[in-house]
Amino acid sequence: MVLLGVAVLLLLVLYGLSSGVRISHRVLCREAFMSGLPVREHAVSRFHVRWYLIAIVFVVFDMEMVFMYPWVLVVRETGAGSVVEMFAFLAVLVAAVIYAWREGVFRWT
Amino acid sequence: MTSPWNALIAVSLLGGFSYAAASASVLLRHRASGARLAAAWSAPTREGARLLVAQRSVVVGSDRALARIGSALLPLAAIMAVLVVPLGAHAISDLSVGVVWFNAMEVLAWAAVWMVGWGSNAPWGVIGANRFLAQGLSYELPHMFALITVAVGANSLQVNQIAAAQHGQLWFALTMPAAFIVYLISIMGFSFWGPFDQSVGRDIVGGAASQLSGVDRLAFCGGRYLLLTVGSAMAVPFFLGGEAGPLLPGWAWLLIKTAAVLAVLVWVGHRMPPIRMERFAEISWMVLLPATIVQALAVSIFVLVGWM
Amino acid sequence: MDLTAVLLRLPVPRIFVVSAPGSSALRLAIERETRARGWVEALTPANTDILVVCGGDGSFLADSTEQIWRQVPCPRAYVQVTTARTLAQQLDDAQAALRDVAALREDAERHEHFHDRETGGHEMDMGGTDHGDMGDMDRGGMGDMDHGDMSMSMDVPGGIPMADRGSDRDGLKLDRLHVALGPALPDWPTGLIVRLVLQGDVVQEAETEAIGLPVGSSFWLEAERDALDPIRVHAAAAADSLQRFLSVAGWRSAAMTGRLLRDELLASAPSTAHPRFVRWMRTVRRSHTLRWSISGLGELGPDAPVGLRGDAYSRSMRWLDEIAAAIKARDADGPADATWGSQRAEGARAVVRMLPSLLIGQEFAGGRLIVASFDPDLETLHELDASARMPADGSGS
């Protein structure tokens, strides 16, 4: 693919140029910024992903989107039937979203 | 097939528009702070020079490879998305599934921002990275429904055919306003711009980008403007009738419309305060998502009864 | 080689300001100067070119400064500001130093890496490898760093341990990350340190500390005493707090205009009634997004001092009221609130005491906004010691 070539080439030129003009080739290894105090521990920790329920609802929808792209191309041929089916399916998913909302999934902290 | 010249022209245009967007952003900031306006035009060049010369740095114990790939991935995704942006009569490569391609490239931003934030091994980066995922989960579905609405209206996933479907009739921005607005919001979402820049927010001292320096930072920040530009460019064939317009040639209209969308987004970025993610998630799921689904339904019905 | 020198002439430097308690006047001077030059402030050392330290002979801040200086990649320059008179010249010198290729290369070669200190670089560490422009900073304190705890094991990078787990409010076992806010953080009240224990981005524990205090003088209280028109000083102080709050909220342009207005108010410039400021106030006040995004944070009931009551949004709107009072009624200056200074001091003391309970359970962004919505002026604390001691939990005089 030509464009990929162009893109990679441009990035290589950028990084190459930088390495040519950079003030020093040593990569500075330092502590993470902590407002001027020493770091107590590494930051990569098990992060409390409080929106994981949103992620699950999202995955449900995202699967559905995979069907929707081909559906787009056949709407005209298949007519009302496919529209009704698709939006009935979406209505079920929206019902799930409303339920999730009532359970407070979209509010966190 | 693709000629390298087409690719070069497209990429240079992308770069030019991004540069202008960065300049305009500095211009607005200088206007707000009472600094010299004339300096804004050279500001991106000066910043670029600064970052090219600067030493690279990493945090001890951080995942350098992850962070570096992430920051390079951002501009790469934006440039690859240009593949399906129509230029004049044709895109570089007018894929039959251009919409899906664009969608896929734009989702790479999720990976890129997360990799940079997590790979920085700083609390700010980790918080920023996870904020961006939460933001992605919120804007992405309405965004996809907006794209699908457009595709239903044009009965095609090919970008040129979508633009062509609007010739001689109302632009999709007018027939599907909800989808248009959601699309504009989601551009700011995936380029973490303006009201949606919480993943690189000032409260977490730059978030995902907090530990970047040198060329890595240049790639990351540049990539962000490239994404904003490519999103604006795609708004033109999707919603603004592609190259349709009186008097001027088609390519001129493409450029004018792209510039207009980009200008609006840059302005909004300065005019509006950021939205905290936990508030946006609720609005996005309970207002934007149903709105786009209803919009898609309406357009499907229009298509069935033959209005589109 | 040559190209590097050419490129070095282009950049607009990014500065990182470390301000010691008692140096508000210098901080304001620096902010005014950088704004006028169109320079930008860096958010982290990683993106900094010039490290500016104002005031700060206290050993605590010297340690922090040194810590930050080590994190600044080359090219870098260091400026210690002690008086506003020489500030412009010092910044010019620093900018010139950022163009001296040979010196910068030498600095980069000697730039001390974290690894160097951990593994065998110790004599170099202690031997005073100060860069010429660093002055005589005390290097003692940082040699034995906090992370060399019992839990230190050799196979973790840098000798820094991983986060330990602890149970959270939902009954999950999650990593507890210790994060410090302050003393050297952009848009942060001078002299305040808040130590947080985070699980994810939720604040689990918080404790506050006011460092280097009390100092002998407070910029805002003195400005009020000296001013012919105290209302303008009140408004300038409000504008300073509001610009900081807007900046933390991420509304950059509005924050910049707030800063400009503050400087104009302090300079007693006649331009403060300029339409742009009126427009700015209207924009901020009418922003639904701001209200929607921020309201409900850090709610304080009637037992708090008057100036602190309400949520973060109502506190920020009160600053706006103070500014509006100075701009609109600038001919007919009514009687200024005589208790302004003591209220400010009372508020600062109350905030330091109440902050932990307000922060616990908040999301990180919410926590930062809460602190910014109080913007405690810790320099005023000495006022409480000097004047008749008021009860610490006084209900706003």
Side-chain angles (χ1 to χ4, degrees):
Chain A
M1 205 104 64
V2 176
L3 187 66
L4 183 63
V6 171
V8 170
L9 193 70
L10 279 175
L11 280 173
L12 284 179
V13 167
L14 180 73
Y15 280 85
L17 179 64
S18 170
S19 96
V21 301
R22 204 175 301 148
I23 200 77
S24 167
H25 282 98
R26 295 172 80 197
V27 175
L28 175 66
C29 182
R30 58 192 166 76
E31 272 189 289
F33 172 61
M34 189 60 85
S35 324
L37 296 179
V39 181
R40 295 271 298 271
E41 62 264 292
H42 286 290
V44 281
S45 54
R46 276 152 289 199
F47 196 89
H48 188 182
V49 181
R50 286 160 300 127
W51 32 264
Y52 71 98
L53 280 174
I54 302 185
I56 290 171
V57 182
F58 176 83
V59 168
V60 172
F61 260 96
D62 216 33
M63 286 291 103
E64 197 272 341
M65 299 312 274
V66 176
F67 298 116
M68 215 153 175
Y69 279 122
W71 170 80
V72 162
L73 297 175
V74 296
V75 178
R76 263 172 226 257
E77 289 96 87
T78 49
S82 69
V83 171
V84 170
E85 281 170 18
M86 182 51 85
F87 283 92
F89 184 39
L90 280 174
V92 174
L93 293 184
V94 169
V97 170
I98 292 171
Y99 174 73
W101 175 60
R102 280 194 51 209
E103 294 291 307
V105 168
F106 302 126
R107 286 170 183 276
W108 62 86
T109 38
Chain B
M1 244 314 265
T2 326
S3 102
W5 296 116
N6 267 354
L8 272 180
I9 291 171
V11 172
S12 339
L13 281 174
L14 176 71
F17 273 109
S18 305
Y19 188 93
S23 279
S25 179
V26 175
L27 185 75
L28 288 173
R29 200 179 68 223
H30 279 197
R31 201 184 60 153
S33 65
R36 223 155 48 85
L37 296 185
W41 298 110
S42 62
T45 309
R46 293 173 186 279
E47 180 70 0
R50 186 178 80 86
L51 293 174
L52 275 178
V53 176
Q55 193 179 13
R56 291 169 100 176
S57 67
V58 293
V59 171
V60 62
S62 67
D63 195 335
R64 310 181 181 201
L66 196 70
R68 286 183 177 174
I69 293 172
S71 41
L73 189 60
L74 213 52
L76 197 65
I79 295 175
M80 292 313 286
V82 167
L83 188 70
V84 291
V85 175
L87 248 185
H90 29 244
I92 301 173
S93 162
D94 199 7
L95 296 180
S96 59
V97 288
V99 175
V100 185
W101 173 265
F102 173 69
N103 202 324
M105 288 304 114
E106 155 266 299
V107 170
L108 280 181
W110 291 34
V113 174
W114 187 85
M115 285 159 87
V116 172
W118 180 264
S120 73
N121 190 17
W124 328 104
V126 174
I127 293 175
N130 284 287
R131 269 191 200 172
F132 193 68
L133 292 188
Q135 171 166 322
L137 291 173
S138 304
Y139 78 75
E140 188 64 25
L141 279 179
H143 172 69
M144 287 166 93
F145 272 106
L147 294 184
I148 278 175
T149 311
V150 169
V152 170
N155 192 31
S156 171
L157 289 167
Q158 199 167 350
V159 179
N160 265 321
Q161 289 188 9
I162 292 175
Q166 297 168 65
H167 287 179
Q169 51 172 313
L170 281 177
W171 292 351
F172 283 173
L174 297 171
T175 50
M176 35 189 97
F180 182 51
I181 290 167
V182 164
Y183 179 78
L184 290 182
I185 290 176
S186 61
I187 298 176
M188 295 191 278
F190 66 67
S191 48
F192 40 106
W193 176 255
F196 300 97
D197 70 352
Q198 286 283 282
S199 52
V200 292
R202 289 179 76 83
D203 59 329
I204 43 172
V205 294
S210 67
Q211 306 298 319
L212 288 176
S213 71
V215 68
D216 304 296
R217 188 180 193 91
L218 182 59
F220 186 84
C221 297
R224 180 190 189 192
Y225 280 107
L226 293 178
L227 273 175
L228 189 70
T229 307
V230 84
S232 311
M234 287 303 277
V236 177
F238 283 163
F239 292 101
L240 299 175
E243 53 186 7
L247 297 176
L248 295 174
W251 58 265
W253 277 112
L254 281 181
L255 298 186
I256 290 170
K257 289 172 185 174
T258 304
V261 175
L262 197 54
V264 168
L265 293 181
V266 169
W267 181 78
V268 167
H270 282 261
R271 187 61 177 63
M272 277 181 71
I275 301 167
R276 285 197 304 131
M277 225 10 71
E278 56 186 78
R279 307 260 157 124
F280 177 63
E282 190 169 8
I283 291 296
S284 179
W285 280 86
M286 297 319 297
V287 178
L288 298 185
L289 181 65
T292 45
I293 291 180
V294 169
Q295 179 78 82
L297 178 62
V299 169
S300 312
I301 293 170
F302 292 167
V303 166
L304 287 183
V305 298
W307 290 350
M308 278 179 126
Chain C
M1 202 51 147
D2 255 343
L3 188 56
T4 307
V6 173
L7 288 176
L8 276 171
R9 255 180 266 135
L10 291 175
V12 177
R14 300 246 172 183
I15 67 164
F16 189 93
V17 182
V18 179
S19 51
S23 65
S24 283
L26 283 177
R27 174 179 68 85
L28 294 175
I30 290 168
E31 288 181 359
R32 188 171 57 240
E33 186 67 28
T34 51
R35 182 179 55 67
R37 290 172 183 229
W39 288 11
V40 193
E41 279 174 45
L43 292 173
T44 50
N47 193 28
T48 299
D49 299 307
I50 305 178
L51 179 62
V52 182
V53 179
C54 43
D57 352 340
S59 63
F60 188 88
L61 211 61
D63 289 347
S64 291
T65 310
E66 193 186 347
Q67 176 94 359
I68 288 171
W69 177 243
R70 283 206 210 99
Q71 296 172 10
V72 180
C74 298
R76 55 179 189 164
Y78 178 90
V79 174
Q80 168 96 44
V81 186
T82 44
T83 157
R85 252 197 346 272
T86 57
L87 172 64
Q89 185 58 44
Q90 282 182 295
L91 290 182
D92 286 342
D93 291 346
Q95 195 174 16
L98 285 175
R99 291 171 179 174
D100 183 351
V101 183
L104 290 173
R105 283 200 197 282
E106 196 182 336
D107 179 35
E109 283 311 306
R110 298 197 310 193
H111 199 328
E112 191 184 335
H113 289 224
F114 193 80
H115 282 318
D116 301 346
R117 287 182 298 137
E118 289 305 318
T119 57
H122 282 292
E123 67 246 78
M124 213 174 88
D125 182 24
M126 294 303 162
T129 50
D130 285 1
H131 306 286
D133 51 351
M134 273 287 280
D136 49 351
M137 287 179 54
D138 169 38
R139 299 183 66 94
M142 302 308 293
D144 47 349
M145 312 209 33
D146 240 5
H147 56 253
D149 278 336
M150 310 290 203
S151 59
M152 170 169 163
S153 60
M154 270 342 202
D155 52 346
V156 285
I160 302 171
M162 299 302 291
D164 267 335
R165 282 187 298 172
S167 46
D168 85 332
R169 47 164 196 185
D170 303 333
L172 298 166
K173 275 264 184 203
L174 290 166
D175 283 348
R176 295 152 52 88
L177 197 58
H178 295 80
V179 174
L181 297 175
L185 189 68
D187 302 322
W188 184 256
T190 305
L192 182 69
I193 299 181
V194 175
R195 291 191 173 80
L196 300 175
V197 175
L198 294 179
Q199 289 182 325
D201 57 358
V202 181
V203 178
Q204 225 65 35
E205 284 169 29
E207 57 181 71
T208 51
E209 185 191 335
I211 56 151
L213 294 162
V215 288
S217 68
S218 149
F219 170 78
W220 290 110
L221 298 192
E222 278 170 17
E224 191 209 18
R225 265 174 225 134
D226 300 345
L228 297 170
D229 184 359
I231 291 186
R232 280 180 87 87
V233 175
H234 299 176
D240 187 38
S241 296
L242 184 59
Q243 63 89 9
R244 194 177 258 172
F245 178 74
L246 292 173
S247 185
V248 171
W251 198 358
R252 192 83 192 291
S253 325
M256 295 301 260
T257 307
R259 213 174 248 201
L260 176 62
L261 174 59
R262 172 199 68 194
D263 293 342
E264 303 276 292
L265 281 167
L266 276 177
S268 291
S271 61
T272 47
H274 192 281
R276 77 185 299 171
F277 296 124
V278 178
R279 207 165 51 231
W280 171 77
M281 286 198 293
R282 200 169 53 224
T283 308
V284 175
R285 193 183 292 282
R286 289 196 187 157
S287 172
H288 293 293
T289 322
L290 188 70
R291 172 184 307 172
W292 168 64
S293 182
I294 281 162
S295 57
L297 283 173
E299 188 95 46
L300 277 184
D303 52 335
V306 181
L308 307 180
R309 284 177 201 164
D311 62 358
Y313 184 75
S314 55
R315 282 190 288 273
S316 63
M317 288 303 115
R318 277 204 292 275
W319 285 327
L320 211 49
D321 293 338
E322 274 186 81
I323 300 168
I327 287 186
K328 285 184 184 136
R330 69 192 233 293
D331 297 326
D333 41 351
D337 185 359
T339 61
W340 184 77
S342 56
Q343 275 194 33
R344 204 170 163 80
E346 280 299 328
R349 171 174 288 187
V351 167
V352 172
R353 205 186 57 237
M354 289 183 308
L355 261 186
S357 62
L358 283 168
L359 292 180
I360 289 171
Q362 285 290 341
E363 186 214 12
F364 189 86
R368 284 270 344 235
L369 284 167
I370 289 173
V371 175
S373 77
F374 291 117
D375 196 32
D377 183 359
L378 301 184
E379 289 179 0
T380 57
L381 285 180
H382 79 97
E383 197 77 351
L384 293 178
D385 300 328
S387 64
R389 281 162 202 278
M390 301 181 193
D393 50 356
S395 54
S397 70

